[in-house]
Coordinates of all heavy atoms in Angstrom, one line a residue:
G46 N 26.9 39.1 -21.2 CA 26.8 40.6 -21.4 C 26.9 40.7 -22.8 O 26.2 40.1 -23.7
E47 N 27.7 41.7 -23.3 CA 27.9 42.0 -24.6 C 29.1 41.2 -25.3 O 29.4 41.4 -26.4 CB 28.2 43.5 -24.9 CG 27.1 44.4 -24.4 CD 25.8 44.2 -25.2 OE1 26.0 44.0 -26.6 OE2 24.6 44.3 -24.7
Q48 N 29.8 40.4 -24.4 CA 30.9 39.7 -24.8 C 30.6 38.2 -25.1 O 29.6 37.6 -24.5 CB 32.0 39.8 -23.9 CG 32.6 41.3 -23.9 CD 33.7 41.3 -22.9 OE1 33.7 40.6 -21.9 NE2 34.6 42.2 -23.1
V49 N 31.3 37.6 -25.9 CA 31.2 36.0 -26.2 C 32.7 35.6 -25.5 O 33.8 36.0 -25.9 CB 31.3 35.7 -27.6 CG1 31.3 34.2 -27.7 CG2 30.0 36.2 -28.3
R50 N 32.4 34.7 -24.5 CA 33.6 34.1 -23.9 C 33.7 32.6 -24.0 O 32.6 32.0 -24.0 CB 33.6 34.4 -22.3 CG 33.8 35.9 -22.0 CD 33.9 36.2 -20.5 NE 34.2 37.6 -20.3 CZ 35.4 38.1 -20.1 NH1 36.4 37.3 -20.2 NH2 35.6 39.4 -19.9
A51 N 34.9 32.1 -24.0 CA 35.2 30.7 -24.0 C 34.9 30.0 -22.6 O 35.3 30.6 -21.7 CB 36.5 30.3 -24.5
V52 N 34.2 28.9 -22.6 CA 34.1 28.1 -21.4 C 34.8 26.8 -21.4 O 34.5 26.0 -20.5 CB 32.5 28.0 -21.1 CG1 31.9 29.5 -20.8 CG2 31.8 27.3 -22.2
A53 N 35.5 26.5 -22.5 CA 36.1 25.2 -22.6 C 37.5 25.5 -23.4 O 37.6 26.4 -24.2 CB 35.3 24.2 -23.4
A54 N 38.4 24.7 -23.2 CA 39.7 24.8 -23.8 C 39.7 24.1 -25.2 O 39.2 23.0 -25.2 CB 40.9 24.3 -22.9
G55 N 40.2 24.6 -26.3 CA 40.3 24.0 -27.5 C 40.5 24.9 -28.5 O 40.9 26.1 -28.4
V56 N 40.3 24.5 -29.8 CA 40.6 25.2 -31.0 C 39.3 26.0 -31.4 O 38.2 25.3 -31.5 CB 41.1 24.4 -32.2 CG1 41.3 25.2 -33.4 CG2 42.4 23.7 -31.8
L57 N 39.4 27.2 -31.7 CA 38.2 28.0 -32.0 C 37.9 27.8 -33.5 O 38.8 27.9 -34.4 CB 38.4 29.5 -31.7 CG 37.2 30.5 -32.1 CD1 36.1 30.2 -31.2 CD2 37.9 32.0 -31.9
N58 N 36.5 27.5 -33.8 CA 36.2 27.3 -35.3 C 35.0 28.2 -35.5 O 34.2 28.6 -34.6 CB 35.7 25.7 -35.5 CG 37.0 24.9 -35.4 OD1 37.5 24.5 -36.6 ND2 37.5 24.6 -34.3
S59 N 34.8 28.5 -36.8 CA 33.6 29.1 -37.3 C 33.1 28.8 -38.7 O 34.0 28.2 -39.4 CB 34.0 30.7 -37.2 OG 34.8 31.1 -38.3
N60 N 31.9 29.0 -39.0 CA 31.4 28.7 -40.1 C 30.8 30.0 -40.8 O 29.9 30.6 -40.3 CB 30.2 27.7 -40.1 CG 29.7 27.3 -41.4 OD1 29.1 28.0 -42.2 ND2 29.7 26.0 -41.7
D61 N 31.4 30.4 -41.9 CA 31.0 31.7 -42.5 C 29.5 31.7 -43.0 O 28.8 32.7 -42.8 CB 31.8 32.1 -43.7 CG 33.3 32.3 -43.4 OD1 33.6 32.4 -42.2 OD2 34.2 32.2 -44.2
D62 N 29.0 30.7 -43.5 CA 27.7 30.7 -44.1 C 26.6 30.7 -43.0 O 25.6 31.4 -43.2 CB 27.6 29.2 -44.9 CG 28.4 29.1 -46.1 OD1 28.8 30.2 -46.6 OD2 28.8 28.1 -46.5
S63 N 26.8 30.0 -41.9 CA 25.8 30.1 -40.9 C 26.1 31.0 -39.7 O 25.3 31.3 -38.8 CB 25.6 28.7 -40.3 OG 26.7 28.2 -39.8
N64 N 27.3 31.7 -39.8 CA 27.8 32.5 -38.7 C 27.7 31.9 -37.4 O 27.4 32.5 -36.4 CB 27.0 33.9 -38.6 CG 27.5 35.0 -37.9 OD1 28.8 34.9 -37.8 ND2 26.9 35.8 -37.3
Q65 N 28.2 30.6 -37.4 CA 28.3 29.8 -36.2 C 29.7 29.7 -35.7 O 30.6 29.6 -36.4 CB 27.7 28.4 -36.4 CG 27.7 27.5 -35.2 CD 26.9 26.2 -35.4 OE1 26.7 25.8 -36.6 NE2 26.7 25.4 -34.3
W66 N 29.8 29.7 -34.4 CA 31.1 29.7 -33.7 C 31.1 28.5 -32.7 O 30.1 28.5 -31.9 CB 31.5 31.0 -33.1 CG 31.9 32.1 -33.9 CD1 30.8 32.7 -34.8 CD2 33.0 32.7 -34.4 NE1 31.4 33.8 -35.6 CE2 32.8 33.8 -35.4 CE3 34.4 32.6 -34.0 CZ2 33.8 34.6 -36.0 CZ3 35.3 33.3 -34.5 CH2 35.0 34.3 -35.5
W67 N 32.2 27.8 -32.5 CA 32.3 26.8 -31.5 C 33.8 26.5 -31.2 O 34.7 26.8 -32.0 CB 31.5 25.5 -32.0 CG 32.2 24.8 -33.2 CD1 33.1 23.8 -33.1 CD2 32.0 25.0 -34.5 NE1 33.3 23.3 -34.3 CE2 32.8 24.1 -35.3 CE3 31.2 26.1 -35.3 CZ2 32.9 24.1 -36.7 CZ3 31.4 25.9 -36.7 CH2 32.1 25.1 -37.3
V68 N 33.9 25.7 -30.2 CA 35.2 25.3 -29.7 C 35.4 23.8 -29.9 O 34.5 23.1 -29.3 CB 35.5 25.7 -28.3 CG1 36.9 25.2 -27.8 CG2 35.6 27.3 -28.2
V69 N 36.5 23.3 -30.5 CA 36.8 21.8 -30.6 C 37.8 21.4 -29.7 O 38.9 22.0 -29.8 CB 37.2 21.5 -32.0 CG1 37.5 20.1 -32.1 CG2 36.1 21.8 -33.0
G70 N 37.5 20.6 -28.7 CA 38.6 20.1 -27.8 C 38.4 18.6 -27.6 O 37.4 18.0 -28.0
N71 N 39.3 18.1 -26.8 CA 39.3 16.6 -26.7 C 38.9 16.3 -25.2 O 39.7 15.8 -24.4 CB 40.6 16.0 -27.0 CG 40.8 15.4 -28.4 OD1 39.6 15.3 -29.0 ND2 41.8 15.2 -28.9
K72 N 37.7 16.6 -24.9 CA 37.1 16.3 -23.6 C 37.0 14.7 -23.5 O 36.7 14.1 -24.5 CB 35.9 17.0 -23.3 CG 36.0 18.4 -23.1 CD 34.6 19.1 -23.0 CE 33.8 19.0 -24.3 NZ 32.5 19.6 -24.1
R73 N 37.1 14.2 -22.3 CA 37.0 12.7 -22.2 C 35.5 12.4 -22.2 O 35.2 11.3 -22.6 CB 37.5 12.3 -20.8 CG 39.1 12.5 -20.8 CD 39.7 11.8 -19.6 NE 41.1 11.9 -19.6 CZ 41.9 11.0 -20.1 NH1 41.4 9.9 -20.7 NH2 43.3 11.0 -20.1
R74 N 34.6 13.2 -21.6 CA 33.1 12.9 -21.6 C 32.4 13.8 -22.4 O 32.6 15.0 -22.3 CB 32.6 12.8 -20.2 CG 31.2 12.5 -19.9 CD 30.7 12.5 -18.6 NE 31.3 11.6 -17.7 CZ 30.8 10.3 -17.7 NH1 29.8 10.0 -18.3 NH2 31.4 9.4 -16.7
Y75 N 31.4 13.3 -23.2 CA 30.6 14.1 -24.1 C 29.6 14.8 -23.2 O 28.9 14.3 -22.3 CB 29.9 13.2 -25.0 CG 28.9 13.9 -25.9 CD1 29.2 14.9 -26.8 CD2 27.5 13.6 -25.7 CE1 28.3 15.5 -27.5 CE2 26.6 14.3 -26.5 CZ 27.0 15.3 -27.4 OH 26.1 15.9 -28.2
V76 N 29.5 16.2 -23.6 CA 28.5 17.0 -23.0 C 27.4 17.3 -24.0 O 27.8 18.0 -25.0 CB 29.0 18.3 -22.4 CG1 27.9 19.2 -21.8 CG2 30.2 17.9 -21.3
P77 N 26.2 16.9 -24.0 CA 25.1 17.1 -25.1 C 25.0 18.6 -25.3 O 25.0 19.4 -24.3 CB 24.0 16.4 -24.4 CG 24.4 15.4 -23.5 CD 25.6 16.1 -22.8
S78 N 24.7 18.8 -26.5 CA 24.4 20.1 -26.9 C 23.3 20.1 -28.0 O 23.3 19.2 -28.9 CB 25.6 20.8 -27.6 OG 25.3 22.2 -28.0
E79 N 22.3 20.9 -27.9 CA 21.1 20.9 -28.9 C 21.5 21.0 -30.3 O 22.4 21.8 -30.7 CB 20.1 22.0 -28.5 CG 19.5 21.7 -27.1 CD 18.3 22.8 -26.8 OE1 18.0 23.6 -27.8 OE2 17.8 22.9 -25.7
G80 N 20.9 20.0 -31.1 CA 21.0 20.0 -32.5 C 22.2 19.1 -32.9 O 22.4 18.9 -34.1
E81 N 23.0 18.6 -32.0 CA 24.1 17.8 -32.4 C 23.6 16.4 -32.7 O 23.0 15.7 -32.0 CB 25.2 17.8 -31.3 CG 25.9 19.1 -31.2 CD 27.2 19.0 -30.2 OE1 27.2 18.0 -29.5 OE2 28.0 20.0 -30.3
P82 N 24.3 15.8 -33.8 CA 24.0 14.3 -34.0 C 24.8 13.4 -33.3 O 25.9 13.7 -32.9 CB 24.5 14.2 -35.5 CG 25.5 15.2 -35.7 CD 25.2 16.4 -34.9

Side-chain angles (χ1 to χ4, degrees):
E47 297 296 323
Q48 296 179 325
V49 174
R50 290 184 177 271
V52 294
V56 179
L57 182 65
N58 286 261
S59 67
N60 184 301
D61 296 343
D62 297 330
S63 61
N64 197 25
Q65 183 176 11
W66 293 70
W67 68 95
V68 175
V69 175
N71 265 346
K72 295 177 291 185
R73 291 184 177 274
R74 183 183 290 276
Y75 173 66
V76 178
S78 181
E79 290 185 10
E81 290 188 341

